[in-house]
Amino acid sequence: MLQIDLAGESLTLLAERALWWPAQSTLLIADAHFGKGLTFRARGVAVPSGTSDDTMDRLAALLARTGAARVVFLGDLLHAREARQPALMTSLAGLRTPGVEWVLVRGNHDMHAGVPTELGLTVVDEPMLMAPFALCHHPDARPGHYVLAGHIHPALRVEAGGDRLRLPCFAFGPDVGLLPAFGSFTGHMTLEPEAGMRCFVAAADRVLEVPHASARRRGKA
Amino acid sequence: MSDPEIPSDEPTRADVRRIVASSSLGRQLRAARAKQQREQAAGQTGERVPPRPARRARRAGGSLPDFAALQLRIEGLYAERGWRVFEFQRAVWAYLQQGRSGLLHAGTGSGKTLAVWLGALLRAAAQPAPGLRVLWITPMRALAADTALTLGESARALGLDWDVGLRTGDTGSAERARQARAWPQALVTTPESLTLMLSHDTARDQLGGLCAVVVDEWHELIANKRGVQTQLALARLRQWNPALPVWGLSATLGNPDHAMQVLCGPGGARVAGEVDRPVKLDSLIPARTERFPWAGHLGVKLLDAVLTELDASPSTLLFTNTRSQAELWYQALLAARPDWAGLIALHHGSLSREVREWVEAGLKNGTLRAVVCTSSLDLGVDFLPVERVLQLGSPKGVARLMQRAGRSGHAPGRIPHATCVPGHGLELIDSAAARRAVAAGRIEPRHSPEAPVDVLVQHLVTLALAGGFDADALKAEIRTTHAYRALDDGTWDWAMDFVSRGGASLSAYPDYRKVERDAGGRHCVPRTDIARRHRMQIGTITADSAVDVRWARGGKSNGKSGGQSAPASGAAALAGGRLGQVEESFIGRLKPGDCFLFAGRVLELVAVRDMQALVRAGNAARGTVPRWAGGRMPLSSELAQEIRTLIALAAQGDYPEPEMQALRPLLDVQRGWSALPREDELLIEVMQSREGHHAFFFPFAGRPVHAGLAALLAGRISRSRPITFSLSFNDYGFELLSASPVDWAQEFSAGLLSGNALDADIEHCLNAAQLARRRFREVARVAGLTFQGYPGQGKTARQLQVSSELLFDVFSRHDPDNLLLHQAKLEALQDELDADRIAGTLAAMRAARHCITRPPSMTPFAFPLLVARLRERLSSEQLSERVARMVALLEKAAGP
């Protein structure tokens, strides 16, 4: 994990691909895509089961470790309508503990998947304002607030010393910050960092800042 | 591998502007459109199907004269045209009369097509029946139309009332419906379209009455999964008619008996065509070899010499190994000879069909003096006016060079003539080696793949769509094919489980739906959306998903592209005319506003949407060269062995070919700085640079083997200590680059080249190098796990999009015993690494005298490896440590 200051607040970047805001005891999770494997199988594509369990285990561990009073899902909690199966919903509901609020900022996949009422989620449309931040799914600028968003599934190509890797990353621009996708079964989009953007890669159990100029030049190669 | 895709000699900006202004491709497109409009105005479909006899006459059954009468007509036709009936033609006709299958192999232009076609007609005449009689399978869609035309013409020349239909991915729904109402007597199709026909329950009615099947260009199919798909389709046809004769046509191969057995099974005949015509092979040797570039940077340096050759010949084909090189050469030729606009053209697989057809027509009637092309013109009907073939860059294979040479010299009194134009210094050796291999008759063999699970899985679903199947009967049917002759029950059961339950264990995927068992015990696909998706996915070849390149049209809107897309992707509302197709991975590297060269134009990317790249005319000053992956060809091992011999000869001071004479200055540099290895020596060059510590090995065993050896050596060293190697390999050798030094002599004595535990080590290193992960891309697509999007797809399809890399990781973690994973590993082992030859080469490396040199500078042999773009990595360090080290390096590079 790694501490950064953003818009005057201190935030913790977690190697599990989530963001922890201690002052508000809030855990931010983007693009969990629960039930994606289920969706594939239901439509005749034989993807193995176990990816949602994986995602769930990591979420449970984070909840226990941070002791968060609030979890905000920045959209795409469920992958599609087929994901709303009793077994998955029961397991998810099992992670709920009294006194911990779960909020879903609606993302594009949630529009089609619908909201699982059995989880007792608070559902809001973006932006969810918690000054100084606007919590969103889509990374569109919101004047007056710093946007924290998902949707993109950002990854960064790191290249140095003859070695090369593509890793999920956090990316903070002047007005908008991107969170990596939390789900175990999610693809990534390689970012081309722009001027004034700080990037942090999640590499196994560590979060590391990647110097910007080099990453960008190499990324295009 | 010296990369042929990054030539340094791009045209200047002024050149590009001039080229675009006078682009002949624009003219090509306009001409093609005008032609199509004329045809439409004349009430035709615009599809190049031979003119049909009156509809009513066709329904009457396309009757044939009886066998004897037809034979007389054939003899008459030959006499009338002054042709001689070759012995091999008579042999094929006689075999077909007996109902025997076989393979006819000969060089191009030897009358193979006519021999088999007339044989099939004779057989049809001897066994008259209504409906479709002759099925003609061809590997390329582009060839199908020409073939149908040729077959139809020769039938008409015999006075036959036969209709030759066309059924490919290009065939429109109206034509398909018409065929369903009244089948033509002969049908030209592709393996994919045939499989698609077999996925319908009407297939038996349509195809059950065949009296002969011809597989054209079988050498193109035998060694790949499309060939396996063909084997499976033939097995089904033979179920309906066990005596169905199948004839293959093939170019010269190193192993014609195997090719025949795979296609025909036991009892097939093998017929060799007339003795191959003489072929002239030479090289364009630059006048000043002392300034000859070392690697991958020659580009169009030999342009002047090439122009001289073009001036001397009325019609020339210029073959390149990649599409991007074809684009570059086309631009360079136009820039040098603006007056040739309209007389030279470009032909590659990414261009739209109308452009390709226009070019082919121009070649046939002799109006084009030069065409720059890729393997897209390797096959096909002969272009009579073509006198000369230029091979730009290494031919990479003996058979390929012969095939390409055979595209020229068909006019009376001419012989095929191919000239190799080297892309860089060392490629001159390739040309000399290829000529020696041709002279010695050492031609690459091609082998059928063994029981690929992905194709099996696809076939099961295909046949489940066609009204369902009985499992035991189908197992027996599939085992009649060569590829699956040894299919074991375990694999069969797994495949059945995979399509019906998603996996081997009973409780694996309770939510899975695909193939289900009906009340009668037959396996079917009840869901129509799954059926539709599968039919769209049938086909095993498209290497990379392709994106249509279209003109952007209409106003701008703030449409958002689907899935995981960049935030700012404002897209033009409408898509206009189609320019062609490029790989998705190429477009994926571009941002809106970026410019690239395509189809002879500079284009600016406007947006990517629904598998379409919308473009507008770009600013020439910002044009970048497209770098397509397409057409990366490894050097064949036959050619590699010949090269080894030539270098060993040079080491003894013997330069037997003109190419070797020309290369002497370069080889002298190599000898002076390092060494020229004899055949019993292994050359290793060690040096240090800013990048780290390099070791270059030169076993000259061909690229696939080097890829494996590089991973093997890196893997063995990295097992004993944490180290990361960056690997690079080409046809001549491989490079291991590491941040810390390696004492090679000590590693050798510690058993680095040992043959012990080799299989396990290869397996281990294979995993680490993730070759299998890359292989899984094709496997997942064939098995229907990844779904290629298509224009106008809905949200539901987009929610099924996933990268094969991600899937590979998910399978590896949650279903490691999945046979498709094993398939990917096996393919990587056999095709990419060639495990048997790795063992052989390793043994030779052990036995060889090790010649370790420390050259003062990068040698001519090492340089191409240094600039090779494709690098593999192999590491035993923890991921986070690796990243931390990389970050530290980047910070150092960025400075305070």
Side-chain angles (χ1 to χ4, degrees):
Chain A
M1 46 194 240
L2 192 105
Q3 216 76 25
I4 63 161
D5 283 331
L6 197 66
E9 293 287 320
S10 172
L11 300 176
T12 306
L13 309 184
L14 302 167
E16 288 87 348
R17 306 202 295 266
L19 197 149
W20 170 235
W21 185 5
Q24 295 283 346
S25 188
T26 296
L27 184 64
L28 299 182
I29 305 259
D31 300 289
H33 286 270
F34 278 111
K36 185 170 171 185
L38 267 168
T39 308
F40 274 59
R41 291 192 290 280
R43 295 188 198 167
V45 182
V47 172
S49 47
T51 52
S52 290
D53 291 347
D54 234 46
T55 312
M56 203 116 44
D57 292 347
R58 288 188 298 118
L59 178 58
L62 276 183
L63 287 171
R65 215 173 86 206
T66 57
R70 188 188 292 115
V71 186
V72 180
F73 294 96
L74 302 182
D76 293 0
L77 176 66
L78 298 184
H79 184 70
R81 200 168 289 129
E82 287 90 334
R84 293 176 60 181
Q85 304 230 345
L88 180 63
M89 290 306 117
T90 310
S91 314
L92 263 178
L95 296 184
R96 302 238 33 194
T97 42
V100 180
E101 187 190 11
W102 282 28
V103 184
L104 170 64
V105 179
R106 228 192 287 255
N108 53 326
H109 278 266
D110 303 303
M111 305 286 181
H112 306 292
V115 172
T117 44
E118 56 269 50
L119 292 183
L121 290 162
T122 310
V123 183
V124 297
D125 284 318
E126 61 185 3
M128 173 182 175
L129 300 181
M130 281 179 77
F133 298 119
L135 307 182
C136 301
H137 177 64
H138 297 97
D140 302 321
R142 307 273 176 180
H145 288 82
Y146 188 89
V147 173
L148 290 173
H151 187 59
I152 300 292
H153 303 203
L156 198 67
R157 188 194 284 247
V158 189
E159 192 169 346
D163 202 356
R164 188 174 63 196
L165 280 169
R166 205 173 70 116
L167 296 163
C169 72
F170 297 86
F172 300 100
D175 323 302
V176 178
L178 297 175
L179 272 65
F182 184 74
S184 295
F185 186 28
T186 50
H188 301 288
M189 198 188 87
T190 308
L191 282 189
E192 296 287 343
E194 289 154 23
M197 188 183 265
R198 293 179 71 188
C199 293
F200 302 84
V201 294
D205 53 348
R206 291 171 75 176
V207 176
L208 291 153
E209 178 158 16
V210 177
H212 161 243
S214 324
R216 185 186 185 186
R217 195 182 61 234
R218 304 291 181 128
K220 283 214 78 162
Chain B
M1 172 166 131
S2 58
D3 199 297
E5 297 185 18
I6 324 171
S8 64
D9 298 67
E10 297 178 24
T12 65
R13 288 171 180 186
D15 288 341
V16 175
R17 267 195 292 277
R18 187 153 38 88
I19 291 159
V20 173
S22 65
S23 166
S24 88
L25 263 180
R27 219 163 300 150
Q28 290 185 24
L29 269 167
R30 283 193 294 278
R33 281 212 198 90
K35 176 172 166 271
Q36 200 176 27
Q37 278 162 5
R38 275 198 306 278
E39 281 173 0
Q40 275 162 358
Q44 293 176 1
T45 58
E47 194 166 7
R48 296 172 69 205
V49 179
R52 266 167 239 293
R55 198 66 45 87
R56 206 160 286 156
R58 204 178 127 229
R59 287 240 172 81
S63 60
L64 283 174
D66 67 23
F67 175 74
L70 181 57
Q71 201 161 27
L72 277 177
R73 282 198 211 179
I74 290 173
E75 304 279 353
L77 179 73
Y78 270 70
E80 181 187 309
R81 306 211 169 165
W83 294 343
R84 186 162 65 91
V85 181
F86 292 115
E87 273 316 302
F88 78 85
Q89 289 175 324
R90 287 195 198 284
V92 170
W93 298 345
Y95 280 130
L96 264 163
Q97 275 323 298
Q98 298 161 18
R100 278 182 73 180
S101 300
L103 178 79
L104 172 59
H105 57 99
T108 56
S110 49
K112 280 181 299 199
T113 305
L114 203 58
V116 176
W117 173 233
L118 295 182
L121 287 176
L122 283 167
R123 183 167 168 82
Q127 305 184 336
L132 181 61
R133 307 306 318 284
V134 179
L135 188 67
W136 193 284
I137 302 167
T138 179
M140 283 169 80
R141 246 196 292 193
L143 279 184
D146 271 327
T147 306
L149 205 64
T150 310
L151 301 183
E153 271 164 11
S154 42
R156 269 193 307 284
L158 290 167
L160 302 182
D161 171 26
W162 258 44
D163 187 20
V164 180
L166 186 62
R167 183 73 167 249
T168 70
D170 290 336
T171 308
S173 54
E175 173 64 14
R176 285 204 302 271
R178 221 170 55 76
Q179 287 174 352
R181 282 196 302 276
W183 280 85
Q185 286 76 46
L187 188 69
V188 179
T189 189
T190 58
E192 289 78 17
S193 288
L194 174 57
T195 302
L196 198 56
M197 287 166 75
L198 292 178
S199 78
H200 292 276
D201 52 12
T202 49
R204 184 167 191 167
D205 297 338
Q206 296 163 354
L207 300 164
L210 291 172
C211 75
V213 177
V214 178
V215 184
D216 208 349
E217 314 270 11
W218 174 235
H219 59 280
E220 281 294 321
L221 291 171
I222 179 172
N224 58 41
K225 290 180 185 173
R226 301 179 72 207
V228 176
Q229 195 176 37
T230 308
Q231 292 181 42
L232 288 167
L234 290 175
R236 173 114 295 206
L237 296 179
R238 286 181 180 121
Q239 285 296 308
W240 298 329
N241 178 7
L244 180 66
V246 175
W247 273 81
L249 300 178
S250 142
T252 314
L253 274 173
N255 56 343
D257 282 321
H258 173 76
M260 187 276 288
Q261 273 156 17
V262 171
L263 188 67
C264 311
R270 181 156 81 74
V271 178
E274 285 298 278
V275 197
D276 286 330
R277 295 175 301 159
V279 177
K280 188 175 170 194
L281 300 173
D282 53 17
S283 298
L284 207 58
I285 297 176
R288 292 183 308 165
T289 43
E290 74 276 12
R291 293 190 52 207
F292 208 68
W294 287 357
H297 289 275
L298 184 53
V300 295
K301 276 238 171 66
L302 289 176
L303 181 63
D304 286 342
V306 166
L307 286 169
T308 311
E309 300 294 320
L310 294 184
D311 277 328
S313 155
S315 181
T316 305
L317 286 178
L318 297 100
F319 282 100
T320 65
N321 289 339
T322 65
R323 278 171 246 174
S324 43
Q325 253 199 339
E327 293 267 356
L328 270 175
W329 272 94
Y330 174 73
Q331 300 282 0
L333 290 176
L334 259 191
R337 294 288 172 89
D339 54 311
W340 280 359
L343 296 176
I344 66 174
L346 184 61
H347 189 288
H348 59 65
S350 293
L351 296 176
S352 67
R353 186 162 58 109
E354 54 181 11
V355 171
R356 279 182 276 134
E357 287 179 357
W358 181 87
V359 174
E360 287 158 27
L363 276 170
K364 247 175 272 178
N365 59 33
T367 51
L368 289 173
R369 67 174 307 141
V371 173
V372 187
C373 57
T374 62
S375 52
S376 61
L377 282 184
D378 273 2
L379 311 177
V381 295
D382 299 324
F383 304 118
L384 215 55
V386 174
E387 279 198 1
R388 189 75 186 280
V389 162
L390 295 184
Q391 164 68 36
L392 307 170
S394 167
K396 301 287 189 186
V398 184
R400 180 177 298 113
L401 183 60
M402 285 178 70
Q403 175 81 17
R404 288 182 168 180
R407 304 311 314 270
S408 67
H410 289 293
R414 299 276 176 187
I415 59 164
H417 181 188
T419 303
C420 296
V421 181
H424 61 80
L426 293 177
E427 282 187 356
L428 271 177
I429 309 182
D430 297 12
S431 322
R435 184 171 56 246
R436 288 163 69 93
V438 169
R442 278 193 286 277
I443 297 161
E444 295 86 2
R446 296 190 184 186
H447 298 281
S448 164
E450 288 289 332
V453 181
D454 50 352
V455 182
L456 176 64
V457 161
Q458 186 194 69
H459 194 61
L460 291 182
V461 180
T462 300
L463 294 191
L465 289 175
F469 62 81
D470 173 77
D472 287 336
L474 183 58
K475 181 164 69 174
E477 173 185 322
I478 287 175
R479 279 181 177 159
T480 63
T481 62
H482 180 92
Y484 298 100
R485 68 198 178 287
L487 178 70
D488 59 283
D489 283 341
T491 306
W492 168 263
D493 291 342
W494 183 88
M496 284 298 295
D497 278 343
F498 183 76
V499 297
S500 49
R501 290 195 287 268
S505 86
L506 271 172
S507 57
Y509 310 144
D511 36 7
Y512 182 69
R513 297 279 173 279
K514 197 157 198 166
V515 173
E516 293 175 24
R517 226 171 134 165
D518 69 9
R522 292 178 73 75
H523 295 267
C524 309
V525 176
R527 290 252 306 259
T528 52
D529 58 334
I530 291 175
R532 195 172 56 242
R533 265 204 303 278
H534 181 79
R535 288 203 173 99
M536 298 190 108
Q537 283 293 87
I538 284 180
T540 54
I541 39 154
T542 330
D544 193 356
S545 42
V547 175
D548 265 1
V549 180
R550 285 177 183 275
W551 291 115
R553 196 195 283 158
K556 290 210 166 193
S557 70
N558 280 326
K560 197 184 81 67
S561 30
Q564 300 152 23
S565 61
S569 63
L574 291 166
R578 184 166 170 273
L579 284 157
Q581 287 194 322
V582 293
E583 282 93 356
E584 192 185 4
S585 55
F586 168 66
I587 285 293
R589 289 202 298 272
L590 298 180
K591 293 196 293 287
D594 281 354
C595 291
F596 60 105
L597 275 178
F598 181 73
R601 298 162 181 272
V602 178
L603 301 174
E604 179 189 331
L605 184 66
V606 176
V608 181
R609 230 186 24 176
D610 295 348
M611 302 304 284
Q612 294 180 336
L614 303 184
V615 298
R616 60 177 164 232
N619 179 350
R622 292 167 60 203
T624 62
V625 185
R627 287 172 185 172
W628 290 309
R632 183 183 287 280
M633 297 170 177
L635 189 76
S636 78
S637 46
E638 280 66 22
L639 204 46
Q641 178 51 43
E642 207 71 49
I643 289 169
R644 184 92 169 92
T645 308
L646 281 173
I647 288 174
L649 286 174
Q652 296 162 18
D654 188 4
Y655 301 84
E657 305 282 340
E659 288 88 352
M660 297 303 285
Q661 289 286 345
L663 262 183
R664 205 169 166 156
L666 187 77
L667 294 172
D668 283 343
V669 171
Q670 172 68 34
R671 194 205 315 265
W673 289 358
S674 171
L676 286 172
R678 294 163 195 267
E679 284 192 79
D680 60 350
E681 283 177 335
L682 171 65
L683 173 63
I684 301 154
E685 296 179 355
V686 182
M687 60 186 307
Q688 195 182 350
S689 79
R690 262 192 319 187
E691 274 192 290
H693 297 266
H694 307 258
F696 299 93
F697 291 71
F698 299 99
F700 293 92
R703 182 194 156 86
V705 173
H706 293 152
L709 284 172
L712 178 73
L713 300 197
R716 281 181 167 178
I717 293 176
S718 65
R719 238 185 347 211
S720 59
R721 57 192 159 118
I723 187 168
T724 297
F725 282 107
S726 168
L727 318 179
S728 167
F729 32 84
N730 65 14
D731 294 318
Y732 307 132
F734 59 91
E735 178 204 355
L736 298 179
L737 170 63
S738 55
S740 51
V742 176
D743 182 343
W744 291 100
Q746 191 196 319
E747 294 288 349
F748 291 152
S749 51
L752 181 62
L753 302 178
S754 158
N756 295 338
L758 184 57
D759 284 348
D761 282 0
I762 288 177
E763 176 77 34
H764 165 80
C765 302
L766 192 79
N767 280 337
Q770 301 234 316
L771 286 167
R773 197 164 183 249
R774 206 171 57 209
R775 269 283 164 171
F776 193 65
R777 191 183 173 97
E778 184 188 88
V779 172
R781 188 177 55 242
V782 174
L785 290 174
T786 51
F787 181 59
Q788 199 173 26
Y790 52 94
Q793 65 187 358
K795 291 264 184 322
T796 42
R798 262 188 240 146
Q799 284 166 356
L800 285 182
Q801 280 184 356
V802 60
S803 78
S804 60
E805 288 84 3
L806 177 59
L807 269 183
F808 184 86
D809 294 344
V810 167
F811 273 103
S812 302
R813 188 175 151 83
H814 297 285
D815 188 9
D817 293 329
N818 192 296
L819 287 190
L820 294 172
L821 282 184
H822 288 287
Q823 171 77 24
K825 284 179 191 164
L826 200 69
E827 284 180 20
L829 201 65
Q830 285 173 348
D831 302 348
E832 305 225 5
L833 292 174
D834 203 344
D836 291 344
R837 289 196 59 228
I838 288 178
T841 309
L842 197 66
M845 286 167 71
R846 269 199 307 279
R849 201 175 68 79
H850 296 160
C851 173
I852 302 182
T853 65
R854 295 180 185 280
S857 177
M858 215 50 89
T859 65
F861 282 3
F863 194 69
L865 278 167
L866 192 74
V867 298
R869 199 154 44 92
L870 196 84
R871 281 172 180 266
E872 294 290 334
R873 268 155 200 86
L874 197 138
S875 177
S876 56
E877 291 174 284
Q878 290 289 319
L879 179 73
S880 54
E881 288 168 14
R882 259 172 95 187
V883 176
R885 188 175 47 75
M886 285 160 71
V887 166
L889 278 169
L890 288 173
E891 273 164 354
K892 212 167 119 193

